[in-house]
């Protein structure tokens, strides 16, 4: 329903990353998987998560989705170490071990390095043949017919820096994630409680808004989104105020919000 | 979310009746059950449905709801015969065998007969003692000290007729349900398709709006609600028009609608 409401095309979803096996993070999976089948999907769907995910969901799939026109591929993620869980020509996904009541990990999404931009004048000057262009875009030097090496930096300017997004929910405050998410462009970090309830946060393995902002500051993130607010608080602006006092560029995750990560040069 | 949006108190839900094990009729159960636990429920929750329901959901409950503060009691329902599946002092619930692609039944909810209303003048005239009042309300006669029998109909007028509601989804057109729901006050009957697609309806074991209205007419229902419309149709008024032409007192089930069944005298 939320995908429809937010006009996200179902066919664009090919990989689903599950942080942990608590109901608010995985009960919607069966409905989504089933709806994709009813919509006639044929492409494989890859689901990443703790090994219990397959053990728990496969019997349901067997029962409810016997005749599904597509295949689900489960990928077990070791939530206790940061490892590469997925990679294609556009993006890499690493797990981020978190500290919660059950095995939990976040996910770091990093763009693959983009091609260098060609300097047109230099292309013309050295009369570079088409066949060499792809290699130069990837950072290669050019060698003339006379054997002279023209270094890449004379031929290109760097493309935009690869962008990154880290999803960290649910977790207690843990600085162990900082090296993994260092310099991330956009950090989502849970903020279930306010700082006044940090004892309760520690007990339930959640974080406060202040703690989320501390992590963003330590990791030198460019922007922070906080969410997963406890329903005990009625005024979400308290979360924003608390986080902003530690890390200025903080936004509140509200249903339907969109956040863009701008391109930047290296 | 729908319960919250419609301000229905969670504590009022003690019995859940599942028609069949298709995702759109049972995937929400785990979330509801889990939320009730987080809200601190302690009272037993009774769930009625095909025997596979327990087999499929118990492993999930064991995994996700280990420490739940309340107990779930599954009741296997034989979907191939109409039988009493639940009864208390206010209501009886019978299953209604339906014809769908998997074992399916609807449910008929019938109020228990209400007490007769006492005729105050007659109470005074016969000087009826308090101790005899309850029996007379239930239909008993009064015997005077002299042994004279005063028949109940002189002492009371009938209370309101017990009201009834039948939920029939999902099913192909089947007149076999008519005797079970005869004279029902309010009938919900699925109407996935329009009459022009009745071949498709039969193939997928669903009904058309026209067929739902035929059932309402045959059963002498007082009011019909139709729902479960296929998303292939954009204009729901077509369903209403088609049904109303067969059974006038038809309404469309829209999210958040409320329907009341008025009391009537016998």
């Amino acid at each position: 329903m939320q995908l429809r409401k937010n006009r996200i095309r179902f066919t664009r979803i090919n990989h689903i990353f599950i942080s942990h096996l608590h109901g608010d993070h995985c009960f919607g999976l069966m409905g989504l998987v089933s709806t994709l089948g009813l919509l006639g999907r044929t492409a494989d769907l890859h689901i990443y998560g703790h090994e219990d995910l397959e053990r728990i969901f496969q019997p349901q799939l067997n029962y409810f989705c016997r005749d599904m026109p597509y295949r689900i591929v489960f990928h077990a993620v070791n939530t206790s170490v940061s490892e590469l869980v997925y990679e294609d020509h556009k993006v890499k996904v690493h797990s981020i071990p978190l500290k919660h009541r059950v095995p939990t990990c976040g996910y770091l999404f990093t763009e693959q390095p983009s091609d260098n931009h060609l300097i047109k004048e230099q292309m013309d000057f050295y009369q570079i043949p088409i066949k060499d262009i792809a290699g130069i875009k990837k950072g290669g030097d050019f060698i003339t017919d006379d054997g002279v090496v023209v270094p890449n930096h004379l031929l290109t300017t760097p493309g935009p820096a690869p962008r990154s997004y880290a999803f960290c929910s649910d977790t207690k405050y843990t600085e162990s994630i900082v090296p993994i998410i260092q310099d991330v462009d956009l950090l989502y970090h849970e903020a279930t409680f306010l700082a006044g309830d940090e004892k309760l946060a520690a007990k339930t393995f959640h974080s406060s808004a202040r703690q989320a902002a501390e992590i963003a500051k330590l990791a030198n993130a460019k922007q922070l989104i906080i969410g997963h607010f406890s329903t005990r608080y009625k005024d979400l602006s308290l979360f924003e105020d608390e986080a902003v006092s530690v890390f200025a560029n903080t936004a509140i995750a509200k249903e339907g919000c969109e956040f863009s990560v701008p391109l930047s040069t290296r």
Side-chain angles (χ1 to χ4, degrees), chain A residues 47-241:
Chain A
I47 304 181
Y48 305 79
H50 185 271
E51 59 181 345
D52 285 353
L53 184 68
E54 179 168 7
R55 191 169 67 74
I56 293 297
F57 278 85
Q58 194 61 59
Q60 292 183 64
L61 288 170
N62 295 346
Y63 192 87
F64 291 109
C65 303
R66 269 164 295 209
D67 307 318
M68 224 164 44
Y70 75 97
R71 200 167 62 105
I72 289 175
V73 185
F74 284 100
H75 301 267
V77 175
N78 179 351
T79 60
S80 59
V81 293
S82 178
E83 58 183 18
L84 183 71
V85 296
Y86 173 70
E87 180 169 26
D88 65 19
H89 68 289
K90 280 187 152 174
V91 73
K92 289 178 290 194
V93 184
H94 288 86
S95 55
I96 308 168
L98 298 175
K99 295 194 172 157
H100 196 44
R101 302 192 301 277
V102 297
T104 303
C105 70
Y107 293 97
L108 175 67
F109 302 82
T110 312
E111 284 184 314
Q112 297 285 15
S114 59
D115 286 354
N116 290 340
H117 290 171
L118 303 173
I119 303 172
K120 185 162 187 312
E121 295 73 17
Q122 299 293 69
M123 295 295 109
D124 295 344
F125 181 82
Y126 291 105
Q127 303 199 8
I128 291 176
I130 302 276
K131 70 172 174 56
D132 293 327
I133 295 287
I136 292 170
K137 278 184 173 174
K138 296 288 179 210
D141 300 331
F142 174 62
I143 300 161
T144 66
D145 291 341
D146 310 330
V148 177
V149 173
V150 184
N152 187 272
H153 72 87
L154 293 182
L155 303 172
T156 69
T157 55
R163 292 169 296 179
S164 55
Y165 165 61
F167 172 82
C168 299
S169 188
D170 301 1
T171 188
K172 69 190 291 192
Y173 179 79
T174 174
E175 296 180 5
S176 59
I177 68 175
V178 171
I180 304 167
I181 62 171
Q182 194 64 43
D183 300 323
V184 71
D185 288 292
L186 185 62
L187 168 63
Y188 171 89
H189 194 291
E190 74 126 289
T192 306
F193 295 103
L194 293 173
D197 290 317
E198 276 175 13
K199 273 190 185 162
L200 186 56
K203 194 178 152 200
T204 58
F205 288 76
H206 283 298
S207 303
S208 71
R210 186 194 69 77
Q211 291 172 328
E214 286 290 351
I215 295 293
K217 194 164 75 174
L218 288 171
N220 190 35
K222 291 204 185 63
Q223 184 174 7
L224 170 65
I225 303 170
I226 51 176
H228 202 267
F229 312 116
S230 163
T231 53
R232 72 179 55 213
Y233 310 105
K234 299 303 162 211
D235 181 4
L236 293 189
S237 72
L238 298 175
F239 287 89
E240 192 165 8
D241 295 347

